[in-house]
Amino acid sequence: MNPTGPELRDIHVPADPSWWPPAPGWWLLATIVIAVLAWLILRLRQRMQRRQWRQRVIAELDRIATDASLREDPPRLLGELSQLLRRSARLVDVAAPGFRGTDWLAFLDQQLGGDEFSRGPGRVLLDGPYQRRASVDADALLALVRRWLTRVLEDRGTHV
């Protein structure tokens, strides 16, 4: 027997917990962070695609304007502008490219809130592409088409 008392040993502290596997809360946090990052990447990608599409549309309009200034071919200018407008009109209504005649011009006017296609410089789009000698105010028509494209692209979240 020990006169001072029983022989005591040091306290043994348990080992530190391992970092792996993490607790369920960390798994949940990681899942939320990954989901948010995936959503942000998807939105960024969509925004970049819209911006690239918008740049291609405006570049095509600029190319058409340059071609119109280099050569005097009104039917070709009108045909190219009409095609560009019809392709872009799908942003507003998928059935829009199928509109004909005054319905097509009324649809274009509806987007701008005026009557510049029905009664203004855009009226020539109705039958001008089919005439050999169409009188076209190319600058006014190009400005009108640019304004229409700008409005449609802005309304659809693809700011010019």
Side-chain angles (χ1 to χ4, degrees):
M1 232 157 128
N2 191 350
T4 59
E7 188 176 324
L8 298 176
R9 296 184 186 164
D10 280 342
I11 297 174
H12 292 286
V13 180
D16 289 335
S18 173
W19 66 273
W20 192 261
W26 288 111
W27 284 108
L28 180 63
L29 180 64
T31 303
I32 291 171
V33 167
I34 289 171
V36 167
L37 285 175
W39 180 79
L40 286 173
I41 289 170
L42 181 65
R43 295 287 299 187
L44 181 62
R45 185 171 182 224
Q46 288 173 342
R47 180 176 282 178
M48 288 173 50
Q49 287 175 342
R50 282 189 301 243
R51 184 173 293 140
Q52 288 172 349
W53 185 84
R54 178 185 64 244
Q55 288 171 347
R56 285 194 306 262
V57 168
I58 297 303
E60 184 172 350
L61 180 61
D62 291 341
R63 181 197 56 79
I64 292 170
T66 302
D67 285 352
S69 67
L70 294 177
R71 69 174 76 100
E72 285 293 320
D73 190 2
R76 181 177 177 170
L77 169 67
L78 296 173
E80 289 177 349
L81 287 176
S82 185
Q83 288 176 0
L84 180 63
L85 286 169
R86 287 187 184 276
R87 286 195 315 265
S88 300
R90 299 187 98 189
L91 286 173
V92 179
D93 184 357
V94 293
F99 294 154
R100 299 285 178 245
T102 56
D103 292 338
W104 169 240
L105 296 180
F107 169 80
L108 294 173
D109 282 336
Q110 182 182 9
Q111 305 312 309
L112 284 179
D115 63 351
E116 295 177 86
F117 282 100
S118 299
R119 296 189 179 140
R123 177 94 180 147
V124 72
L125 290 173
L126 192 58
D127 53 3
Y130 311 107
Q131 295 177 349
R132 189 172 286 258
R133 303 239 185 252
S135 69
V136 177
D137 183 359
D139 293 332
L141 183 60
L142 287 166
L144 177 62
V145 170
R146 184 176 301 275
R147 211 169 62 243
W148 189 89
L149 288 172
T150 301
R151 171 73 56 91
V152 168
L153 294 173
E154 283 177 357
D155 288 348
R156 300 298 167 242
T158 52
H159 302 287
V160 175

